[in-house]
Amino acid sequence: MKRVHYIDNYLLNPQHPVTVNLIGVGGTGSQVLTNLARLDVTLRALNHPGLFVTVYDPDVVTESNIGRQLFSVSDLGLNKAQCLVTRLNHFFGNDWQAVPKIYPSNVHAAKDKEISNITITCTDNIKSRLDMWKILKAVPDNDYRDYKTPLYWLDFGNTQTSGQVVLGTVPEKIKQPKSQQYKTVGSLKVITRYVRYARVRETDSGPSCSLAEALEKQDLFINSTLAQLGCNLLWKMFRHGMIEHQGLYLNLATMKVNPILI
């Protein structure tokens, strides 16, 4: 039988916009944010409350960001989160929030208002992912759902020409309906359970000084391609209420996309 995951019913019939924390709006995150705005418009057209997104990023726009990320010369020196959120709020008429700082790195620092239904990480370091999982799994799980109940964690990661998207469940198990057609799966592994990051040595290559130098580290369309594919997974969640894949592996060098089956 085909293995599927039915989305937590709260996301399909919430009493308020689904809360989303987007951590990092650089190469991938800036593309993901635009896709989230498009998703929000579409959901509201389908009589869903839509999304409320909070963006965290402490960095400012530099010359090397222009071209590969969604910034222009007029954005130089501005905080990335504030720049993009302000632009999208004006364009789409939203009231999304920008936080020009690093997301809390430990359980004690994270407040209720900083926990969301869906967490999306587009960061470029290992520690932030390990810290994120400690925070998310520390939130007590119960049957009650509201705007600060963490349900899913969607992570984007990439090298120069390859990358992956992994969607995991935060609660130990999401309640699944009975099905004679599918084998339902209530628990999806998060990225830190796929990759044993604690054993990986992380090296910081430092910031790029120009677009040409930045392209030596990440190819021009790796971020936008990952963002499209990953946000399509979110679209399937809301549109169909069920998914057959919880992520994917992308290799732009070979032009291959391999799904991660549930």
Side-chain angles (χ1 to χ4, degrees):
M1 296 178 70
K2 182 181 295 184
R3 294 164 63 89
V4 302
H5 173 76
Y6 283 91
I7 306 309
D8 192 288
N9 189 60
Y10 180 75
L11 296 187
L12 303 178
N13 298 287
Q15 299 302 309
H16 58 78
V18 171
T19 55
V20 180
N21 278 346
L22 175 58
I23 318 299
V25 281
T28 302
S30 59
Q31 304 279 348
V32 168
L33 181 61
T34 301
N35 290 339
L36 290 176
R38 296 172 59 195
L39 177 59
D40 171 65
V41 170
T42 306
L43 289 176
R44 287 189 281 112
L46 296 172
N47 297 316
H48 185 282
L51 308 175
F52 180 82
V53 179
T54 301
V55 178
Y56 291 81
D57 198 312
D59 294 339
V60 299
V61 180
T62 63
E63 186 176 344
S64 64
N65 300 145
I66 299 171
R68 195 174 61 81
Q69 302 179 16
L70 294 184
F71 300 105
S72 66
V73 175
S74 62
D75 300 326
L76 287 172
L78 299 178
N79 171 264
K80 290 183 177 180
Q82 292 175 326
C83 175
L84 290 178
V85 171
T86 299
R87 182 184 302 159
L88 284 180
N89 282 348
H90 287 161
F91 191 89
F92 289 99
N94 291 338
D95 61 346
W96 291 358
Q97 181 179 9
V99 181
K101 66 178 185 180
I102 297 174
Y103 187 80
S105 60
N106 61 72
V107 176
H108 302 294
K111 303 174 183 177
D112 281 350
K113 66 179 181 179
E114 293 172 316
I115 304 297
S116 63
N117 300 139
I118 300 174
T119 298
I120 303 176
T121 45
C122 301
T123 58
D124 57 3
N125 63 85
I126 295 169
K127 184 178 183 301
S128 64
R129 291 175 170 84
L130 296 175
D131 291 340
M132 178 60 68
W133 183 232
K134 291 177 182 177
I135 292 172
L136 293 176
K137 70 180 181 180
V139 179
D141 183 24
N142 54 55
D143 292 333
Y144 178 72
R145 302 285 194 249
D146 65 7
Y147 67 92
K148 58 181 183 295
T149 302
L151 297 171
Y152 294 93
W153 176 14
L154 181 64
D155 179 75
F156 292 80
N158 68 278
T159 60
Q160 184 180 15
T161 59
S162 64
Q164 77 284 327
V165 180
V166 176
L167 175 73
T169 53
V170 177
E172 185 174 344
K173 191 173 185 179
I174 300 291
K175 186 177 180 180
Q176 300 288 289
K178 294 182 179 179
S179 175
Q180 296 181 340
Q181 185 176 1
Y182 304 109
K183 178 175 177 56
T184 58
V185 179
S187 180
L188 306 178
K189 288 183 179 180
V190 297
I191 184 62
T192 51
R193 293 180 62 195
Y194 265 104
V195 182
R196 294 187 178 277
Y197 281 125
R199 299 180 181 178
V200 177
R201 293 186 62 185
E202 183 172 41
T203 57
D204 185 1
S205 59
S208 302
C209 297
S210 66
L211 175 58
E213 184 179 346
L215 291 174
E216 292 298 320
K217 301 174 184 176
Q218 296 187 27
D219 207 13
L220 181 58
F221 292 111
I222 182 65
N223 303 111
S224 55
T225 305
L226 272 178
Q228 291 283 349
L229 293 170
C231 289
N232 183 58
L233 184 59
L234 289 178
W235 164 240
K236 290 180 180 295
M237 286 174 57
F238 286 102
R239 182 58 170 165
H240 303 298
M242 178 187 75
I243 52 176
E244 302 174 18
H245 314 97
Q246 68 167 107
L248 59 99
Y249 295 103
L250 167 69
N251 189 325
L252 277 187
T254 60
M255 302 297 285
K256 290 183 178 180
V257 178
N258 294 320
I260 301 175
L261 296 175
I262 290 175

